[in-house]
Amino acid sequence: AEESELKQIAAREEKEFIVSEITAHRYGRKKPIEFKVRWLDYPPSEDTWEPHWSVKDLEAFEKYLERNPKLQKRFDEKDVNIKK
């Protein structure tokens, strides 16, 4: 196979995962807060729990905080390792 053909195959095999929305949050023992992520084009059964640092810059995170004003307040007042 030619180099350009191999690059096209590799590009097709790479999956880009896009956050559709954040649906929940939880506090872990001795762990920072985590957020349940719904992925675009994936069913709810494929949702994953992600640490704050991996979602904090996403628009979906901002929207989630808008829907959860108490949590927003805690983020405004404390550091990112929010505990319950």
Side-chain angles (χ1 to χ4, degrees):
E2 293 181 25
E3 183 178 347
S4 63
E5 187 178 314
L6 291 174
K7 286 181 181 177
Q8 288 176 350
I9 292 169
R12 279 192 305 248
E13 290 180 2
E14 276 187 39
K15 288 188 177 181
E16 184 173 294
F17 296 96
I18 300 171
V19 174
S20 173
E21 69 177 313
I22 295 175
T23 61
H25 67 278
R26 69 180 180 187
Y27 301 93
R29 292 176 151 183
K30 301 180 184 179
K31 288 185 181 179
I33 189 170
E34 294 180 314
F35 294 87
K36 193 171 192 179
V37 173
R38 169 108 1 109
W39 301 99
L40 187 64
D41 298 328
Y42 287 86
S45 61
E46 297 293 323
D47 290 359
T48 60
W49 288 100
E50 303 294 333
H52 168 260
W53 57 263
S54 73
V55 300
K56 68 181 178 75
D57 296 324
L58 300 175
E59 184 177 337
F61 178 70
E62 292 300 321
K63 287 181 179 180
Y64 185 78
L65 290 181
E66 287 173 10
R67 293 190 314 267
N68 295 275
K70 287 182 181 178
L71 185 62
Q72 172 69 57
K73 186 176 179 184
R74 293 186 74 169
F75 269 91
D76 289 345
E77 294 173 352
K78 299 186 179 186
D79 69 351
V80 296
N81 291 323
I82 294 179
K83 302 244 188 318
K84 192 171 185 180

